Amino acid sequence: QVELVESGGGLVQPGGSLRLSCAASSSSFSNYKVGWYRQAPGKQRELVAQITSGGTAGYVDSVRGRFAISRDNAKNTVDLQMNSLTPEDTAVYYCNAINFKGSYWGQGTQVTVSS
């Protein structure tokens, strides 16, 4: 089992940037596929970006070119760099890690984009 802790959320103006970080308790975190999800009020949780254990990244169309997911296996972290933020990016962002044993979630971090 792995525990995930997200950080880096906050309030930012439209056009601004934030960097979210997901820190894992497991030393084998490099073997997990990790995704960043978000859930806005009244909406379903959606996958925003994902990175495989081999480092291959994928993005939902709405964030491609603005967001970048990366991992640091030495630090057991997966980050999400978010640029050119819009009010539509406002949501609680969750980290998810998957391996053959199961799927694990963090507690989420709030991102609010507003002037």
Side-chain angles (χ1 to χ4, degrees):
Q1 187 169 349
V2 61
E3 294 185 358
L4 304 173
V5 178
E6 301 99 333
S7 62
L11 174 64
V12 63
Q13 292 187 343
S17 298
L18 281 175
R19 188 175 184 89
L20 306 182
S21 186
C22 174
S25 62
S26 172
S27 60
S28 61
F29 192 49
S30 61
N31 297 325
Y32 289 74
K33 180 168 66 175
V34 180
W36 279 99
Y37 289 72
R38 67 185 179 187
Q39 187 166 20
K43 295 187 177 181
Q44 289 188 333
R45 191 172 298 188
E46 66 168 345
L47 178 62
V48 173
Q50 195 170 62
I51 189 165
T52 68
S53 57
T56 300
Y59 304 91
V60 68
D61 285 347
S62 60
V63 308
R64 187 174 291 114
R66 298 189 299 123
F67 290 11
I69 189 170
S70 61
R71 68 190 309 158
D72 186 332
N73 292 331
K75 296 182 178 179
N76 295 325
T77 58
V78 170
D79 289 354
L80 185 68
Q81 177 66 41
M82 307 187 296
N83 300 323
S84 303
L85 287 162
T86 73
E88 288 68 37
D89 296 314
T90 295
V92 178
Y93 284 70
Y94 298 90
C95 178
N96 172 261
I98 298 174
N99 72 351
F100 69 96
K101 293 184 179 180
S103 176
Y104 308 94
W105 292 90
Q107 82 289 349
T109 185
Q110 176 70 47
V111 171
T112 302
V113 184
S114 175
S115 55

